[in-house]
Amino acid sequence: MAFTTQDNQLSAGEQLSVEDAELLLEWLLKHPRGRIDLSACDHVHAASLQVLMAARPKIAAWPESQPLADWLTATLTEEASNHGKNNSRC
Amino acid sequence: MNPLLDQFQSEGRELLEGISEKLLHLERAPDDPGVMDELFRFVHTLKGNSGLFELPQMTRVLHAGEDLLDAVRDGKQPFSAALADQLLEAMDFVAAMFDEIGDGDSASLPDPGWQAEPATQLAAALRAHLQSTPPAGRPDSAGPDAPAAAGQDAPIPETLPDQSTLAALPEVARMALYRRILVGASCHVLVYEPEAESFFKGEDPFFQISQLPEPLWRRISAREPWPALAELDAYHCVLRFELVLESSADELAEHFRYVPEQVRILAIQPEQLPLPQGRLDDGPMTANFIRAALTQVDARQTDALQRAARALLELSAPDLCIASGLRWLLLVLELEPDNRERLRDLLGAIEHHCLGTPVHDARLAPSAARTAAGPETIASLPPEWRHSLEQALAAQRQILALEERPDWFQGRLRAVAASLNGLCRALGAESALEALAQATAQAEAQADSAPLRDWLTHHDFALPTIDSPPELPAESPAGSAADAAAPSVRQPAAPVPATGATPSDEPVRFGRRAEDQAGTPRTLKVDQVKIDRLMGLVGEMVVAKNALPYLAGRAEEHYRVRELSREIKTQYSVINRIAEEMQDAMMQVRLLPVSFIFQRFPRLVRDIAHKLGKEVELVMQGESTEADKNIIEALAEPMIHILRNSLDHGLELPEEREAAGKPRGGKLEISAQPLSDRVLITIRDDGRGIDAEAIRRKAYEKGLIDEATAERLNEQEALNLIFAPGLSTAAKISDLSGRGVGMDVVRSAILRVKGSIDLRSQVGKGTELRLSLPLSMAVTNVMIIESARQRFGVPMEAVAETVRVARRDIHLIKHRQTTVLRGRVIPLLELNSLLGLDVPPVANEDDALAVLIARIEQDELGIIVDDCRETVDIILKPLEGFLGTLPGYAGTALLGDGSVLLVLNPTELL
């Protein structure tokens, strides 16, 4: 497993791999208010990314790796605002 | 199956046939514009139809084909054999796609990603023809990468999400992008939609994406709404990546070279970027500003426009749509102050996006539409149109004549102006729009409808007066008309209540062309299953009617009522006649011309000949000869095999032919002709022929025949060895390619439909194959025989003759009974022993046995039975279920007296 869990927090390892997607999803289902620490992470597999996008957990820490942080902040924070924008657009 | 899809399939296949026929025609006569137009129309229709279904690959290929043909039609691209090859290949792909649809269960379409790779290649190959001579003045060749991008992904404009993608960009990002593009940067939108199963293929789309250079903008979204978390399938990829990158299309295509069908790469054109966005605002200021701005653009008063825009921007809340539009306007003014077209487009966009009601200024109309149409368009309007136009105009007059000035007076004026504007456009009188716009502006400024009224009175709509209805009495400003007028303003064609008799009472048909109604179709398309059922019913009818003579017999013999018996017989003859006619009609329905399969031969021959480097002239005759659908269909495969063999092994290369003193081009003749109740098909080539000696040697080497047989066979018999199963691939005299299909396959296919095949060949002169096939298989003619007190049927094709052989003429040779018939030795077998019945055959009073001489393939064989009876026409039903595996029987049939007749299959019996 590429992540460790403690109480209500999941800390990702270096990678969130394709196998982790299922586990991540399970954990998120059990911990609907769980927080995710991505600081050590430098790549998220698209399947895990999907889970994060669908679940929208609270992110305790963004990745230290800047390119990934850019992507994730853009995706996991912006989509919500995008929804708002879409509605208001003419 | 979905009926729409069904229809699409059958029409599509017809179109495909049409397309390949036209292509072949064009190859012979490339300058025939009529054929070219038709070809284009076929492809266009097919493409349009394919768009109705989820068949992106088919649409993609057809779209590329359509573009190519359009270029050819316009003379931008010469028609060539290479081009025809490419198009034919594309059509083959489409046909394969149809097969795939047909094979799928019920309404299941192939996966949208099915065959994406070849489709992409095909489309690219088709477009490659286009690029070899780029047509002058194509607007989309803006960036250096634009043609490459077009070739890479064959964009289908209708489905491109570029507008929505670009619209999702924040304004600031789009403005930055705009600046970059104007200084020559090549920017692309990349949309990557990994297929749903991509995770199972070990792909990581996100990794793929993160390997790209830093994007200018990015968005990851889901293609479908997220389900509840508990139902989420983490391994069903629904992601969509959208990026704006400053990279060339080539780089991007290279990056995604393994999944080209999942990405779209679109060059961003500067004109796509200015898109005002924001809160709607319907203020009059906006409309006035746009009108003033248009004038300023035309007058090149850039500074004034800039000042006005700044002023209005300061007054507008920053999140308003108009504010966004103004920011864009200022940017364009700053970067491209002389690009009046761009400014005009932008003002149009502001009008479109920021105003609820369109201003409809003539100057906003696309420049192309501004060409004035000639009067002939008006004259050619159908009478219903003239009438409707009159009504619409009258309604406008009524509205303008209203005296009251409610609060919405301005809106009313605009509505009238919009209606008139629409009418002018519909009439093709674009030249009048200028004056109309002036009148509208004047009217709005004065808050008076007079200028518009004047324009309406003075403008000549060039309507013919003959058909016009009597002037509407509501011309007077009567209040009664007011209620009718208000709701109808938005629809110019809304009918004003008709007063009295209008000249045309027939219903008004808008947009329907005359040919839409030109006669109902004369042909029906019926599913074959329905026809088969009908045929089955007719067959039962035929059998049922056969019960009547028995009934008549019983009436006479059993009940002793002769009168009744006679009446039944009379009735029987009537029913018999009708039943026979029914049967005949049924056969007619099932008849298909042989052209059904012949029509694909020109293409086949052309392709194979090209491939082999041979010159072949194909001559076909008697294409209209008809036979039952089952027969025709069964013929297709063997015919193709035969043609292939002829082309591959029969006909020589041009040089060889010349050396042999023959014309360079070989001749391949296919003819079909009816011959009593059979169809005779002849395939003849003038190639090198088949060497009987070589076949004899090969067969001997293969161990198919022993030495004695090899010696004994005459030339024709040696030739016939080519049909022997073991010789299928070895008998290639020339062995050009080792390809080709065994003649035994051909023969068994022909035998299956009760046909026969006959081969003649002369070395150096050519080969001729004659196929003889029954016209129909529906009714089988059988001879009834009796043996061991049972009745059996034997198909008449197998019966050569029936004879009585005296017991003393039967000799035993090597424990086998034989007899001599007209100087030939015929082996004899007892049917009873063949069927495992332990009963000796019954001889007649002269001690002679009934022998049925059966023809099995080329040999004759005597079958000893008790008695031979009459022949009857029956509908043969194959044995089914557990009985189906029983060898020796062809099937069963019901006889007139209700008894079941078992029909033997002599070949299997032995």
Side-chain angles (χ1 to χ4, degrees), chain A residues 18 43-46 50 70 75, chain B residues 204 206 218 220 234-235 237-238:
Chain A
V18 62
H43 180 65
V44 177
H45 188 279
Q50 265 195 167
D70 287 349
T75 306
Chain B
D204 182 354
F206 185 42
R218 59 188 127 199
I220 309 179
Y235 297 121
C237 183
V238 293

Side-chain angles (χ1 to χ4, degrees), chain B residues 146-469:
Chain B
Q152 283 290 349
D153 54 57
I156 304 163
E158 307 81 89
T159 57
L160 285 187
D162 52 350
Q163 278 298 335
S164 64
T165 307
L166 288 176
L169 259 74
E171 189 181 299
V172 186
R174 257 185 299 131
M175 286 187 164
L177 197 56
Y178 187 65
R179 283 175 191 273
R180 284 180 113 106
I181 291 178
L182 282 189
V183 296
S186 141
C187 293
H188 288 87
V189 174
L190 173 91
V191 183
Y192 174 32
E193 294 185 351
E195 58 179 336
E197 291 84 37
S198 60
F199 297 157
F200 294 108
K201 299 182 175 171
E203 289 169 15
D204 182 354
F206 185 42
F207 183 75
Q208 189 79 3
I209 283 287
S210 54
Q211 294 305 301
L212 285 168
E214 171 95 17
L216 300 172
W217 174 82
R218 59 188 127 199
R219 179 167 71 173
I220 309 179
S221 55
R223 294 198 287 262
E224 40 198 79
W226 293 112
L229 206 52
E231 286 154 27
L232 180 73
D233 178 359
Y235 297 121
H236 178 84
C237 183
V238 293
L239 294 174
R240 175 194 290 126
F241 299 89
E242 289 160 287
L243 287 85
V244 175
L245 294 136
E246 193 180 330
S247 330
S248 75
D250 284 344
E251 280 165 26
L252 294 175
E254 170 71 11
H255 190 79
F256 289 98
R257 63 191 175 279
Y258 298 117
V259 284
E261 73 284 359
Q262 294 167 19
V263 292
R264 276 166 293 180
I265 303 163
L266 309 149
I268 300 174
Q269 308 298 337
E271 64 269 18
Q272 292 173 304
L273 291 167
L275 260 188
Q277 294 177 338
R279 207 147 48 78
L280 271 186
D281 154 59
D282 207 353
M285 270 206 309
T286 311
N288 288 337
F289 172 77
I290 293 172
R291 210 165 287 116
L294 281 169
T295 320
Q296 282 165 335
V297 169
D298 285 345
R300 295 172 197 273
Q301 294 163 333
T302 321
D303 291 343
L305 179 57
Q306 214 163 0
R307 276 198 301 277
R310 283 225 178 87
L312 186 58
L313 181 59
E314 272 173 33
L315 290 173
S316 312
D319 63 334
L320 278 179
C321 186
I322 177 71
S324 161
L326 288 170
R327 283 191 294 268
W328 271 110
L329 188 62
L330 288 170
L331 183 71
V332 175
L333 281 172
E334 175 196 331
L335 298 175
E336 301 179 284
D338 298 327
N339 193 339
R340 286 158 67 202
E341 203 57 43
R342 175 75 40 82
L343 286 169
R344 241 183 249 130
D345 286 350
L346 177 58
L347 287 168
I350 296 176
E351 181 224 7
H352 179 72
H353 285 278
C354 304
L355 279 181
T357 45
V359 179
H360 273 305
D361 193 302
R363 288 168 289 186
L364 289 179
S367 40
R370 241 174 278 160
T371 47
E376 70 273 13
T377 49
I378 299 160
S380 63
L381 282 177
E384 308 93 277
W385 275 54
R386 290 181 202 146
H387 178 49
S388 305
L389 278 168
E390 268 298 326
Q391 288 190 338
L393 285 175
Q396 306 311 322
R397 281 192 207 107
Q398 280 178 358
I399 298 163
L400 290 178
L402 294 178
E403 290 286 68
E404 36 170 342
R405 301 280 167 90
D407 297 343
W408 60 85
F409 182 72
Q410 290 279 353
R412 195 158 80 189
L413 281 179
R414 264 187 239 160
V416 170
S419 301
L420 291 173
N421 199 304
L423 283 174
C424 286
R425 278 165 205 268
L427 286 166
E430 261 92 358
S431 51
L433 290 176
E434 203 82 34
L436 174 62
Q438 275 173 12
T440 312
Q442 220 181 332
E444 274 190 65
Q446 300 171 6
D448 187 5
S449 55
L452 264 178
R453 225 168 29 217
D454 286 350
W455 180 86
L456 193 54
T457 335
H458 291 118
H459 181 69
D460 180 16
F461 273 97
L463 287 172
T465 43
I466 359 150
D467 284 350
S468 56

Side-chain angles (χ1 to χ4, degrees), chain B residues 523-524 526 531 534-535 538 579-594 624-630 632 674 676-677 775-779:
Chain B
T523 51
L524 275 180
V526 185
I531 297 287
L534 200 52
M535 191 173 71
V538 170
E580 272 173 11
E581 262 178 51
M582 250 161 77
Q583 204 177 339
D584 188 52
M586 204 60 238
M587 296 299 150
Q588 295 293 330
V589 169
R590 293 180 51 90
L591 286 185
L592 269 186
V594 290
S624 55
T625 311
E626 289 181 319
D628 188 86
K629 185 171 190 288
N630 287 346
I632 295 287
S676 72
D677 62 342
L775 273 182
S776 159
M777 297 201 317
V779 168

Side-chain angles (χ1 to χ4, degrees), chain B residues 535-550:
Chain B
M535 191 173 71
L537 289 172
V538 170
E540 280 176 38
M541 179 78 204
V542 169
V543 171
K545 75 144 204 241
N546 282 343
L548 286 178
Y550 286 89

